[in-house]
Amino acid sequence: MSDYRPPLRDIRFVLTHIADLEGLAELPDFAHADPEVAFAALDEAGRFFSEVVAPTNRAGDTAGSVRNADGTVTTPPGFREAYRQYVDAGWGAIKGPLEHGGHQFPGVVGLAVMEMLTAANMAFSLCPMLTASTISALEKHGSGEQQQTYLPRLLTGDWTGTMLLTEPQAGSDLGTLRCRAEPNDDGTWAISGQKIFITYGEHDLAENIIHMVLARAPGAPAGTKGISMFIVPKHLVNDDGSVGERNSIECVSLEHKLGIHASPTAVMALEEATGYLVGDVHQGMRYMFTMMNDARLHVGLEGLGISERAYQQALGFAIERRQGHAVGAGKDEPSLIVEHPDIRRMLMTMKANIEAMRAVMYANAAAIDRADHDPSAERRAAAAARAALLTPVSKGWGTDLGVELTSIALQVHGGMGYVEETGAAQHYRDARIAPIYEGTNGIQAIDLVMRKVPMDGGAAVGTFLDEMDRLAAELAAEGESPPVMRDALKTGVDTLRAATDHLLRCEQVNDKLAAATPYLKMFGIVAGGYYLARLALAARRTGVDDEWHRAKAATAAFYASQIMPQATGLLGAATADAEALFAVGPEHLGG
Ligand SMILES: Cc1cc2nc3c(=O)[nH]c(=O)nc-3n(C[C@H](O)[C@H](O)[C@H](O)COP(=O)(O)OP(=O)(O)OC[C@H]3O[C@@H](n4cnc5c(N)ncnc54)[C@H](O)[C@@H]3O)c2cc1C
């Protein structure tokens, strides 16, 4: 069974009780975006992605995208048709600004759309995802003319966007990039150099591709302070908005890779390609940073989307496959494997983590919405701090979980998971890229401990810890919640506070860097437990006592008893100094 069933009820529940969609709809910018209209749009998106996009997932993996001798790239069978329908239905414009033809729903509604698209076909979803990043860059930093020229066609999806950052010597450290930009007499720039690993750098889905390129202008200071951002369209755009002359930017090869075979990963050569400066010269890195909350959250979402898809498939297998005899079952025929405790543990681990991820990520997106649209400067600042704090967690914890949970889904299938026939292996292979791109998870952890936790002397993280403490107290006062939930939340928050205090006091940079990854994981586990506890409380307070609502509370209780305690296990590593990591020198690491 490989069909994708959009988890619309879960999505609605989180939009209502965590993202506070009703509250967002009261902001002036979203006054037209009534929650009921948003839910109806999500129902339709879910139907479209499961019926039209999900069936292209397998063919995408087996056929992959192919570069032709003339440098063009052909996407797998079914992609062009599905993309055309995606454009015609207008899904790319869901959160775009009204003035450029978008529907201007809150970004968290856009995130819900992207969750379902990613689950339907992750490799396909990368093209709209990068287009959304391009839109966000131009919306925030493009000139009025640039916005007029590019945004309307990007919003419809008639044109797509890319990000050209990486070069062979410049990966995590973009300060070493060499791509050059020379000013032309007419105000444009001539961009030359080579970029690698460019997602959808070339393809046949749209009539134009708008590349956002980082390059160095003459006299640029060394490092990240000397980087500028340019728009380099595949085809130049004529004054009347039509697609014109071919620009000198070419795909010279495609990478062969572990997963997301349908997503073309291109090496791009630029030879005096015509480029248009975005904003001011040497400010490119600053512009990239303002986009990052959005882009990193969307990559985090890949961990969620693909885990949900893999989970559905594993569950489908577990309720069909028979092996062994479950305790208490008759001996006439073997039991369904779903009756074995170990399979239940795997399924519950997936389910609980998926629900936790969804809650953290939607809270993250709602904070971005408030940071960008709340009329109160104070609330905007508080929301921006929350978004900044949660973003590396959504990306790092979410994508590591994506790998872990797709691996568990494969395990549920036994040997049938390891062979390609069931498709379980594809999810695992596809999920593996997400911890690497858009800033590796190691870089996310460094961002969390070096920049986000120390923000304003630790004020943002302190506010979040206090908020979680208040919920633990509320659960205790309620008396009805299972003791494990309030005790686990209290212990989890105390543990995270201890690690946070340690990091805020720590003066040795290398010790903080050494603690970064276990700290990020601990943060994700505790934040996930906090939001799940809120959902469990909301489930009870709705007054509806059905199986679905009871399952929400039971899932949160499972997380509290079996997953939350892992946070305590990480305390040692999150507070240790770097000494143990360097005790064995490089010459002895090999044995
Ligand atoms: C399929 C795919 C698609 C991609 N799409 C795009 C795209 O569309 N556009 C684009 O510009 N790029 C893209 N990339 C590039 C991607 O963003 C980079 O691969 C990523 O940023 C890591 O850079 P790197 O590969 O050079 O690894 P490196 O930077 O060499 O890192 C190697 C290891 O060292 C660690 N490391 C590096 N520096 C530090 C440090 N200071 N402290 C601690 N650890 C460190 C890393 O975490 C990693 O584990 C893509 C890559 C792939 C594989």
Side-chain angles (χ1 to χ4, degrees):
M1 194 174 77
S2 65
D3 293 349
Y4 169 60
R5 294 174 309 287
L8 287 159
R9 192 167 181 188
D10 285 57
I11 288 175
R12 243 178 268 147
F13 196 61
V14 175
L15 283 172
T16 305
H17 296 290
I18 300 292
D20 183 21
L21 192 56
E22 263 186 38
L24 286 175
E26 283 167 13
L27 302 180
D29 287 349
F30 300 134
H32 62 288
D34 177 68
E36 287 311 316
V37 180
F39 292 151
L42 290 174
D43 288 351
E44 182 50 27
R47 188 202 59 73
F48 173 71
F49 297 147
S50 69
E51 288 177 11
V52 178
V53 180
T56 64
N57 196 42
R58 193 71 208 290
D61 185 51
T62 47
S65 279
V66 178
R67 180 182 178 276
N68 307 303
D70 61 358
T72 58
V73 168
T74 305
T75 53
F79 268 48
R80 280 171 64 85
E81 296 75 9
Y83 189 75
R84 195 62 248 164
Q85 290 187 53
Y86 173 89
V87 169
D88 291 345
W91 293 118
I94 188 111
K95 64 173 189 169
L98 287 171
E99 61 170 313
H100 295 294
H103 304 301
Q104 205 166 306
F105 276 101
V108 70
V109 175
L111 192 84
V113 169
M114 280 308 286
E115 178 197 325
M116 295 187 283
L117 180 58
T118 307
N121 186 335
M122 176 169 153
F124 180 96
S125 78
L126 297 179
C127 189
M129 194 269 277
L130 280 155
T131 305
S133 291
T134 308
I135 291 168
S136 154
L138 288 171
E139 238 187 294
K140 292 202 170 98
H141 308 294
S143 66
E145 191 188 338
Q146 289 168 344
Q147 293 181 352
Q148 284 301 329
T149 306
Y150 301 106
L151 283 182
R153 308 297 298 280
L154 285 167
L155 275 163
T156 56
D158 285 316
W159 298 350
T160 68
T162 66
M163 293 284 141
L164 275 70
L165 287 57
T166 308
E167 298 176 11
Q169 78 297 341
S172 301
D173 182 5
L174 290 173
T176 59
L177 70 81
R178 294 185 192 138
C179 198
R180 293 184 328 276
E182 298 287 341
N184 294 323
D185 294 340
D186 62 358
T188 64
W189 295 71
I191 320 285
S192 303
Q194 193 189 61
K195 295 284 180 180
I196 62 167
F197 295 154
I198 304 308
T199 302
Y200 280 93
E202 179 59 53
H203 60 80
D204 58 359
L205 299 179
E207 65 172 338
N208 206 1
I209 305 175
I210 311 305
H211 303 285
M212 304 299 287
V213 181
L214 294 187
R216 281 182 190 287
T224 50
K225 291 201 169 69
I227 294 174
S228 305
M229 185 187 269
F230 299 88
I231 301 166
V232 180
K234 172 178 167 183
H235 291 278
L236 301 181
V237 179
N238 297 323
D239 289 344
D240 65 358
S242 61
V243 166
E245 196 185 318
R246 182 75 166 83
N247 205 353
S248 49
I249 175 166
E250 305 281 346
C251 162
V252 291
S253 65
L254 290 185
E255 305 292 351
H256 297 277
K257 49 196 195 299
L258 179 67
I260 53 166
H261 291 150
S263 167
T265 307
V267 176
M268 303 294 293
L270 298 94
E271 286 184 28
E272 300 192 347
T274 301
Y276 307 92
L277 180 67
V278 176
D280 294 323
V281 77
H282 307 328
Q283 297 299 314
M285 220 39 214
R286 192 164 65 78
Y287 304 150
M288 285 303 302
F289 271 113
T290 63
M291 285 169 50
M292 270 179 191
N293 277 348
D294 213 45
R296 292 189 163 173
L297 173 58
H298 274 91
V299 173
L301 189 74
E302 290 168 13
L304 166 62
I306 197 137
S307 296
E308 170 73 43
R309 179 86 188 254
Y311 169 63
Q312 290 186 9
Q313 189 168 331
L315 178 60
F317 186 85
I319 57 178
E320 280 177 4
R321 172 75 170 160
R322 290 182 180 276
Q323 282 293 288
H325 296 277
V327 173
K331 297 286 175 199
D332 295 347
E333 63 171 348
S335 303
L336 292 168
I337 60 169
V338 72
E339 297 306 337
H340 298 307
D342 196 53
I343 295 286
R344 284 294 176 104
R345 186 181 47 72
M346 289 195 268
L347 293 171
M348 284 303 289
T349 300
M350 283 187 272
K351 179 174 169 58
N353 274 308
I354 286 167
E355 292 186 7
M357 270 194 275
R358 183 173 293 117
V360 170
M361 290 173 194
Y362 284 40
N364 194 154
I368 296 174
D369 278 325
R370 287 204 173 270
D372 289 345
H373 298 281
D374 200 300
S376 144
E378 199 183 326
R379 284 198 299 271
R380 275 203 308 278
R386 176 62 55 88
L389 189 66
L390 288 184
T391 298
V393 178
S394 294
K395 201 284 180 179
W397 171 70
T399 59
D400 278 347
L401 269 179
V403 176
E404 187 183 326
L405 302 188
T406 52
S407 174
I408 293 176
L410 188 154
Q411 189 73 15
V412 169
H413 288 76
M416 287 308 286
Y418 196 71
V419 298
E420 293 287 351
E421 195 182 318
T422 51
Q426 183 193 343
H427 301 315
Y428 181 48
R429 288 186 287 98
D430 285 353
R432 191 60 190 86
I433 183 57
I436 295 173
Y437 57 20
E438 196 53 50
T440 64
N441 284 0
I443 299 295
Q444 303 303 320
I446 292 171
D447 179 44
L448 180 64
V449 299
M450 301 304 287
R451 294 182 62 227
K452 304 303 174 55
V453 166
M455 278 186 313
D456 294 331
V461 68
T463 307
F464 189 44
L465 286 164
D466 291 347
E467 181 179 311
M468 292 193 282
D469 259 340
R470 277 198 300 280
L471 183 74
E474 205 180 319
L475 289 174
E478 278 245 332
E480 278 177 52
S481 54
V484 64
M485 210 145 83
R486 55 177 188 259
D487 294 348
L489 184 59
K490 178 89 184 81
T491 309
V493 179
D494 286 350
T495 308
L496 185 60
R497 195 184 285 281
T500 305
D501 289 347
H502 170 83
L503 284 169
L504 286 169
R505 277 196 314 269
C506 177
E507 287 174 0
Q508 300 301 321
V509 172
N510 232 24
D511 291 346
K512 288 197 263 194
L513 294 174
T517 290
Y519 178 77
L520 183 146
K521 185 170 181 183
M522 178 195 284
F523 202 119
I525 290 170
V526 175
Y530 161 65
Y531 284 113
L532 274 190
R534 271 180 52 181
L535 284 175
L537 212 52
R540 202 168 56 242
R541 286 178 181 167
T542 57
V544 185
D545 186 24
D546 62 4
E547 283 290 326
W548 189 88
H549 284 87
R550 277 199 296 276
K552 287 283 155 270
T555 305
F558 170 85
Y559 189 100
S561 66
Q562 304 224 6
I563 296 173
M564 196 70 134
Q566 293 172 16
T568 313
L570 288 162
L571 187 60
T575 52
D577 58 31
E579 200 183 325
L581 304 183
F582 289 88
V584 180
E587 66 280 18
H588 295 297
L589 280 172

